[in-house]
Amino acid sequence: MSVPFVHLHCHTDYSLLDGACEITQLMKLAERQEMPAIAITDHGNLFGAVQFYNEGQARGVKPIIGCEVYVSQKGHKTRDASDRYNHLTLLCENQQGYRNLIDLVSTGYLEGFYYKPRIDKDLLASHSQGLICLSGCLRGDLNEALIDKGYEEGRRLAYTYLDMFGKDNFYLEVQDHGLDADKKVLPLLFRLSQETGIPLVATNDAHYLTQEDAHAHDALLCIQTGKTLSEPNRMRFSTQEFHVKSQEEMLRTFDGNAAPLTRTWEIAEQCNLRIERVKDPFPAFEVPSEHTADTYFEWAARQGFDKRRGRLEALAAQGSLKHELAEYEERLDHEIRVIQQMKFSGYFLIVWDFIRFARSKNVPVGPGRGSAAGSLVAYAMQITDIDPLYYGLLFERFLNPERVSLPDIDIDFCMNRRGEVIQYVTEKYGREQVAQIITFNTLAAKAAIKDVGRVMDMPYADVDRLTKLVPN
């Protein structure tokens, strides 16, 4: 078989506590198996999209960005336990598709979250441009209809999706993990393809890398659901076929029928998304007409230092200042030059401005933490309240022209009034310039041992002894 097979349905570890394909390891596997491309289709999110894209580009494996979305049957704003949701696989064909998928996923979280981030078919219809749709796994509404409601209902749904995405962008997704339901639905999907002309595409619902990882993945599901491996009535995958199969394994799975496999490469060639780094990610800070961003930043830093000078001189008079004022001035000059050279003047002005706003409204502001506490400029501009020279903190840990990275100033606002600061920057710079970030908790070695020990019903004393063997 000369045409390569491409996995178009993969769950990375960003399908939280469900997918066990760590992105770097997944790309290494794709590289070893000489896969020309591979897709990411995490449950309801795009958390791993940029990392996946960058890792694929670095390894010469074409990254296809997608998502297995949750589609509400009654409407994404319905908050009703009787409303079921189905799965649907979406892949980005181009930039427009990527933007539409971002809109769909964001709407799922902001408007449709009820246990899961849900969208609905009206949203799909209005965001279908640039997206390739695969009909989904056994939890897809088309497969459920074929099994539970009859062939004609499945046929009707197939035409609905065909109208929505167009004849070149909708495929009937076929999977065979050795489940009884697979045996029921596969003949119906093959018949549906033959009668409607909608092409079949073969995928494997990959949740872990190799077949040997199935047991570890089972333990991961127990961590997610709070169960133990010994419990009979728990969520589990019934077979050990949910891994990233080789082309040969996929051919055997489909009894040598190569057509649905070769179609994966056609889809991969159709997907040509480029994710470019934003060259200037900071919004423009409006400065007085007689200034540029660099000169106004320098003015603000020196004005701020002059305000701090009185305290420093008082400490020097008491013999409590560890460094001469001349050292402070030399350090200030150096930091200003580096910040201007790295083109971060505007960033400092933005942070300086919203902290000034917070203080003017008596919103409590923390003294500063993290590497930004090593900046004398941040101290001078009252972004932080920590004298870096007094505490021996290094500016180079925060900004280093030899290791260019974006600055990161950690700021703590009063939790009850931080919304006022967010509203201020949103109104000043525009909604499209403001975003809140997410934090992912990962299972470190000790936490993983404790969780796995619990799901394996190991005595606590044994688990505790094992965790103490792991160095901090």
Side-chain angles (χ1 to χ4, degrees):
M1 183 177 170
S2 57
V3 179
F5 168 75
V6 176
H7 277 281
L8 298 177
H9 195 135
C10 294
H11 294 279
T12 75
D13 47 1
Y14 286 98
S15 288
L16 305 177
L17 293 178
D18 180 27
C21 297
E22 195 274 325
I23 287 175
T24 302
Q25 297 303 317
L26 177 62
M27 283 298 179
K28 283 181 179 177
L29 179 64
E31 192 177 25
R32 279 199 307 274
Q33 293 192 9
E34 298 182 343
M35 297 178 186
I38 193 166
I40 180 174
T41 55
D42 282 319
H43 286 301
N45 72 67
L46 291 168
F47 300 153
V50 173
Q51 182 188 348
F52 184 86
Y53 181 87
N54 290 338
E55 192 71 34
Q57 292 288 97
R59 294 187 178 276
V61 179
K62 184 178 185 178
I64 300 168
I65 305 302
C67 181
E68 186 172 21
V69 294
Y70 299 105
V71 184
S72 166
Q73 293 181 356
K74 292 186 177 180
H76 73 287
K77 293 183 180 180
T78 303
R79 303 289 189 273
D80 187 337
S82 67
D83 178 35
R84 293 190 73 252
Y85 58 80
N86 295 102
H87 296 189
L88 193 69
T89 313
L90 300 178
L91 304 172
C92 298
E93 183 181 18
N94 50 36
Q95 198 72 27
Q96 184 181 12
Y98 183 53
R99 293 193 177 280
N100 277 330
L101 189 56
I102 288 172
D103 283 347
L104 287 169
V105 168
S106 298
T107 302
Y109 275 95
L110 295 174
E111 297 178 8
F113 197 93
Y114 184 69
Y115 295 97
K116 302 288 184 184
R118 305 161 310 142
I119 59 172
D120 58 32
K121 285 181 183 168
D122 288 340
L123 281 169
L124 273 174
S126 61
H127 292 79
S128 62
Q129 290 297 309
L131 289 173
I132 294 171
C133 176
L134 316 184
S135 59
C137 61
L138 290 173
R139 279 296 308 273
D141 62 348
L142 193 149
N143 285 340
E144 285 189 351
L146 287 171
I147 294 172
D148 299 328
K149 298 178 182 177
Y151 179 79
E152 286 306 317
E153 178 60 16
R155 182 187 178 98
R156 185 191 67 79
L157 280 171
Y159 279 120
T160 298
Y161 286 121
L162 191 64
D163 290 343
M164 199 180 290
F165 291 93
K167 69 180 181 66
D168 295 325
N169 283 47
F170 176 61
Y171 296 82
L172 298 174
E173 186 172 0
V174 289
Q175 300 178 343
D176 190 353
H177 304 100
L179 304 172
D180 291 340
D182 290 331
K183 293 180 177 63
K184 290 180 184 176
V185 80
L186 279 171
L188 297 172
L189 286 168
F190 276 88
R191 175 187 165 191
L192 186 60
S193 174
Q194 196 169 29
E195 292 183 3
T196 62
I198 301 171
L200 296 165
V201 62
T203 70
N204 210 56
D205 198 354
H207 279 69
Y208 42 89
L209 294 175
T210 66
Q211 199 163 35
E212 290 73 31
D213 296 328
H215 187 61
H217 179 259
D218 202 25
L220 184 69
L221 293 180
C222 287
I223 294 172
Q224 179 204 145
T225 55
K227 303 293 185 181
T228 63
L229 291 166
S230 60
E231 292 183 59
N233 300 317
R234 62 174 176 82
M235 176 186 170
R236 69 175 78 209
F237 286 20
S238 304
T239 68
Q240 298 185 351
E241 299 294 325
F242 293 83
H243 57 287
V244 183
K245 293 183 176 181
S246 67
Q247 184 166 341
E248 292 72 25
E249 286 178 292
M250 290 298 292
L251 264 175
R252 287 197 299 272
T253 297
F254 288 94
D255 298 323
N257 184 353
L261 276 69
T262 58
R263 206 155 279 126
T264 62
W265 175 237
E266 294 171 17
I267 293 172
E269 287 191 304
Q270 199 176 334
C271 295
N272 291 295
L273 170 68
R274 292 183 62 83
I275 301 177
E276 304 284 356
R277 288 183 69 90
V278 178
K279 290 184 174 63
D280 185 11
F282 305 122
F285 182 87
E286 192 173 325
V287 300
S289 57
E290 66 273 18
H291 281 284
T292 64
D294 281 343
T295 62
Y296 192 57
F297 155 70
E298 184 170 350
W299 174 86
R302 296 194 184 282
Q303 285 283 105
F305 183 72
D306 286 342
K307 291 178 183 175
R308 296 282 196 187
R309 185 186 293 273
R311 177 180 174 277
L312 297 174
E313 288 173 344
L315 287 172
Q318 297 168 13
S320 302
L321 198 65
K322 294 182 178 179
H323 300 269
E324 297 292 329
L325 273 172
E327 289 183 58
Y328 277 85
E329 290 168 353
E330 185 180 337
R331 169 86 167 253
L332 186 72
D333 289 343
H334 168 69
E335 289 192 17
I336 287 172
R337 283 197 305 275
V338 169
I339 291 165
Q340 289 174 334
Q341 176 189 331
M342 296 179 75
K343 303 188 185 305
F344 293 143
S345 299
Y347 172 76
F348 270 82
L349 288 169
I350 289 166
V351 177
W352 168 69
D353 177 64
F354 67 68
I355 287 180
R356 277 197 313 167
F357 166 81
R359 295 188 197 280
S360 73
K361 299 296 181 181
N362 297 316
V363 177
V365 182
R369 57 185 170 86
S371 60
S375 169
L376 183 62
V377 164
Y379 177 64
M381 296 175 77
Q382 293 192 327
I383 291 170
T384 65
D385 263 330
I386 298 163
D387 178 350
L389 273 75
Y390 182 86
Y391 291 103
L393 303 176
L394 299 174
F395 174 66
E396 285 72 23
R397 283 199 61 227
F398 172 59
L399 276 183
N400 188 336
E402 295 179 8
R403 185 175 55 83
V404 178
S405 60
L406 291 175
D408 178 20
I409 299 177
D410 296 311
I411 304 159
D412 297 304
F413 294 108
C414 166
M415 63 181 292
N416 295 324
R417 299 187 62 193
R418 63 195 293 269
E420 296 175 40
V421 184
I422 295 171
Q423 184 178 352
Y424 170 75
V425 294
T426 302
E427 290 175 355
K428 180 158 186 169
Y429 301 107
R431 178 67 188 85
E432 69 283 357
Q433 299 283 3
V434 181
Q436 291 181 266
I437 61 172
I438 193 169
T439 301
F440 296 100
N441 292 325
T442 57
L443 289 172
K446 287 189 175 184
I449 289 169
K450 286 179 180 178
D451 278 331
V452 172
R454 179 190 63 77
V455 304
M456 293 178 70
D457 289 314
M458 288 178 63
Y460 176 78
D462 292 349
V463 176
D464 190 51
R465 189 167 64 252
L466 282 171
T467 56
K468 286 176 179 175
L469 295 173
V470 179
N472 291 318

